[in-house]
Amino acid sequence: MFRAASVVLMLLMAAAAERAAHPTQKRALLVGINDYSASTLPVQSDAPDRGWPSLLGAVNDVTTLRELLLARDFEVVSLTDQQATRRAIVGQLERLARTVRRGDVVFFYFAGHGSQVRNSRSDEADGLDESLVPADSRRGGADIRDKELRRLFNRILDHGAKLTVMIDSCHSGSGARGRTRAIARDERDVADAAPYGPYPEDRGALVIAAAQDYDRAGEVPDADGKMRGAFTWAWLRALRDAQPNEAAVETFLRAQARLRGETPLQEPVLAGNDTARQTPFLGERPAARRSVVAVEQVQRDGTVVLQGGWANGLVPGDDVQGVRVTKLLGPGRSEGIREADAPRAGELLETESRRWYEAEAPSSGCRLEVRRGGKPVQVLYGGQSYELFLHGNPERFVYVFATDSSGHSTLLFPERGSVENRHVAPKLCDFTVAPPYGNDTFYLLTTDEPLPNPWVLQWDGVRAPFAASWSLDKFVYETRHKATRAVSKQ
């Protein structure tokens, strides 16, 4: 087993090996809060009692990341414990927003409590904004809501910087530690409907979160007994195991597999466009594309659990780099038997791509509907925009993808990764029709657990037997090159 010091040393050596003259600046803001006592801070106002238990591993996370980033020639600002007030965190982000230049690499990291704030005018269906809890929360410092962060991140992106955000706290997916990084929500209504701007991940940012927006994140001891964020520790080991110039999405799959095997109730999230996902973590140029699945764990009897299933094109009998698939557990998970040296948790195995086949699966009982101008339609026309609605809520994770007449598949929902796609609002998304035209088939996939990599639904597809933990429904629409004059008047 690698000890914690060995992991850090290996990361530092790898970073030192890739040092070179760099024309752009690399800048990082790291925030880690263990101490929420606020004992040295002046009282700002009365605050509701939200518990505020202190943590054990957040400062350790920042210390390790700081060493790694300094070795990669980053300019690093760290705010820990009672330095990390709301004013200090927001002030440092505003400083970045004022001073970054085109091409700069910017990294924001937060480890501490996450929570939610009541917002009756929020654009989220539950009326809650996810938030980061500053060190002065006990003394009245307001949470930093995801909508506020969105505005600040967009200001950084306005300058053409390359932004990566990593948040290791509970409820972090919109933006189980030995003790969890969460406190009670703030029920005081901020009633904020001011323009938030686009999602940063839609503009090229990469957002990595330790847990879903409804979920908790935990702390775990490393091999030396030092407490760390469960996800951050999984991420550091994934970086250690990563291949040179490895795509961020692949490093994420490594970390996610470790986390699922060690802390199975915590689901991390990756959000970003295709370029951001395919670019190495804190890198600048996209990496070569591969089709891979991660090893989640190797059980005592030798069974290998893979983070890949129907959605990855796997079928029983497949050989995945020495692992023979014996059973599909669902769209995103399978079991196999090792036929070569046993793989390690977090290892990536390359798979083949296959064309789509319809899977035998039960119906969800839900229905998709395409609308234009508020009215349902059955024929879709090129270049026109439509709205996609879901009738019925399966109370599972929801995915919608469409295949066209050439067999190409596009993921329509969720647009930003497996986040905010459970207990969904009726309207899922907007989309625009593009060629080729003919018959497009819309598939509604619902699962009991989120897919490790939802973007596999944009690749060539698969065939699979019945699996009770998921459902698949299809809806066929005709697409044409353009609307006739008569139709366009309707």
Side-chain angles (χ1 to χ4, degrees):
M1 175 183 295
F2 283 92
R3 299 185 67 80
S6 300
V7 174
V8 175
L9 179 60
M10 293 176 67
L11 289 170
L12 294 177
M13 291 175 62
E18 62 184 33
R19 283 180 178 172
H22 199 279
T24 60
Q25 291 188 346
K26 300 179 181 181
R27 307 173 69 177
L29 172 59
L30 310 180
V31 180
I33 309 171
N34 287 340
D35 181 8
Y36 277 89
S37 69
S39 58
T40 64
L41 295 171
V43 175
Q44 297 180 18
S45 67
D46 292 335
D49 185 4
R50 301 168 67 191
W52 297 286
S54 291
L55 298 169
L56 300 173
V59 175
N60 290 335
D61 294 341
V62 164
T63 299
T64 301
L65 282 170
R66 178 181 176 84
E67 293 176 0
L68 172 63
L69 294 171
L70 289 174
R72 291 190 175 188
D73 297 324
F74 272 76
E75 170 195 314
V76 181
V77 173
S78 299
L79 297 174
T80 56
D81 286 334
Q82 294 177 21
Q83 296 174 332
T85 63
R86 172 186 168 86
R87 181 177 181 180
I89 297 169
V90 173
Q92 288 295 334
L93 285 171
E94 289 178 336
R95 184 181 69 87
L96 283 171
R98 291 193 305 269
T99 58
V100 293
R101 299 175 300 178
R102 177 170 298 279
D104 284 357
V105 177
V106 178
F107 179 49
F108 173 69
Y109 174 85
F110 178 89
H113 280 310
S115 190
Q116 295 172 310
V117 176
R118 181 70 58 189
N119 184 0
S120 59
R121 303 183 70 186
S122 174
D123 59 354
E124 298 189 41
D126 61 4
L128 297 171
D129 291 346
E130 283 66 51
S131 62
L132 308 182
V133 183
D136 56 339
S137 174
R138 185 186 293 271
R139 298 299 188 193
D143 288 10
I144 306 171
R145 296 177 296 114
D146 55 354
K147 309 302 187 294
E148 298 176 276
L149 289 170
R150 195 192 303 179
R151 297 183 188 115
L152 289 165
F153 293 155
N154 275 314
R155 287 174 56 190
I156 293 172
L157 293 169
D158 288 343
H159 291 278
K162 298 174 182 178
L163 175 65
T164 298
V165 176
M166 180 179 287
I167 299 176
D168 196 337
S169 69
C170 300
H171 309 292
S172 56
S174 181
R177 294 187 172 225
R179 53 183 69 186
T180 58
R181 293 183 172 176
I183 63 171
R185 70 175 59 136
D186 189 341
E187 296 290 355
R188 294 172 295 181
D189 188 358
V190 296
D192 177 19
Y196 312 132
Y199 285 94
E201 51 266 43
D202 292 344
R203 302 183 62 197
L206 184 71
V207 180
I208 307 166
Q212 294 278 338
D213 57 333
Y214 58 84
D215 208 355
R216 292 178 176 265
E219 291 186 328
V220 296
D222 63 22
D224 294 324
K226 181 182 293 187
M227 294 302 293
R228 297 178 179 274
F231 177 71
T232 298
W233 183 230
W235 185 264
L236 288 169
R237 288 176 290 164
L239 285 176
R240 176 201 67 193
D241 297 338
Q243 296 183 3
N245 204 42
E246 179 175 279
V249 66
E250 294 188 11
T251 306
F252 174 80
L253 290 175
R254 292 182 188 272
Q256 183 186 50
R258 284 189 174 276
L259 193 64
R260 278 187 167 183
E262 299 166 358
T263 315
L265 298 181
Q266 183 175 331
E267 286 287 351
V269 174
L270 176 77
N273 63 24
D274 185 68
T275 299
R277 298 193 307 268
Q278 293 300 322
T279 300
F281 177 63
L282 302 180
E284 301 176 57
R285 298 177 181 83
R289 190 183 301 275
R290 299 191 301 167
S291 178
V292 297
V293 297
V295 176
E296 183 175 304
Q297 59 178 303
V298 180
Q299 299 175 348
R300 290 184 178 181
D301 64 359
T303 299
V304 180
V305 180
L306 299 175
Q307 282 200 160
W310 169 84
N312 302 79
L314 300 183
V315 296
D318 279 353
D319 181 276
V320 184
Q321 287 192 232
V323 175
R324 180 167 57 84
V325 177
T326 57
K327 183 180 180 181
L328 292 182
L329 304 179
R333 184 173 284 172
S334 60
E335 290 182 351
I337 298 174
R338 64 190 186 205
E339 296 185 337
D341 293 338
R344 296 182 301 166
E347 186 174 342
L348 298 185
L349 306 179
E350 291 199 50
T351 66
E352 298 178 1
S353 296
R354 293 189 175 89
R355 292 189 60 80
W356 284 111
Y357 291 89
E358 289 184 19
E360 300 173 9
S363 172
S364 66
C366 300
R367 178 170 61 87
L368 290 176
E369 180 181 80
V370 176
R371 298 181 189 175
R372 179 172 169 80
K375 297 180 179 180
V377 297
Q378 287 296 323
V379 179
L380 316 181
Y381 295 95
Q384 292 188 349
S385 296
Y386 297 88
E387 299 173 312
L388 184 65
F389 284 79
L390 175 65
H391 292 280
N393 194 328
E395 296 188 353
R396 291 178 170 182
F397 292 92
V398 174
Y399 303 87
V400 178
F401 58 100
T403 59
D404 60 27
S405 56
S406 69
H408 177 75
S409 176
T410 301
L411 178 64
L412 297 176
F413 180 84
E415 301 174 87
R416 303 173 185 89
S418 290
V419 60
E420 297 182 349
N421 65 321
R422 191 175 183 222
H423 304 294
V424 297
K427 181 180 176 180
L428 298 180
C429 65
D430 299 307
F431 68 93
T432 301
V433 174
Y437 305 113
N439 285 328
D440 284 6
T441 302
F442 290 64
Y443 291 89
L444 169 64
L445 172 66
T446 65
T447 64
D448 286 341
E449 59 183 24
L451 295 180
N453 180 9
W455 296 282
V456 297
L457 296 175
Q458 295 195 130
W459 300 346
D460 287 339
V462 299
R463 168 176 57 88
F466 173 89
S469 64
W470 57 293
S471 60
L472 186 70
D473 302 274
K474 71 172 184 175
F475 306 85
V476 179
Y477 286 82
E478 181 183 353
T479 59
R480 299 177 183 173
H481 176 61
K482 62 182 179 179
T484 64
R485 181 171 300 176
V487 171
S488 64
K489 290 181 178 180
Q490 294 179 358

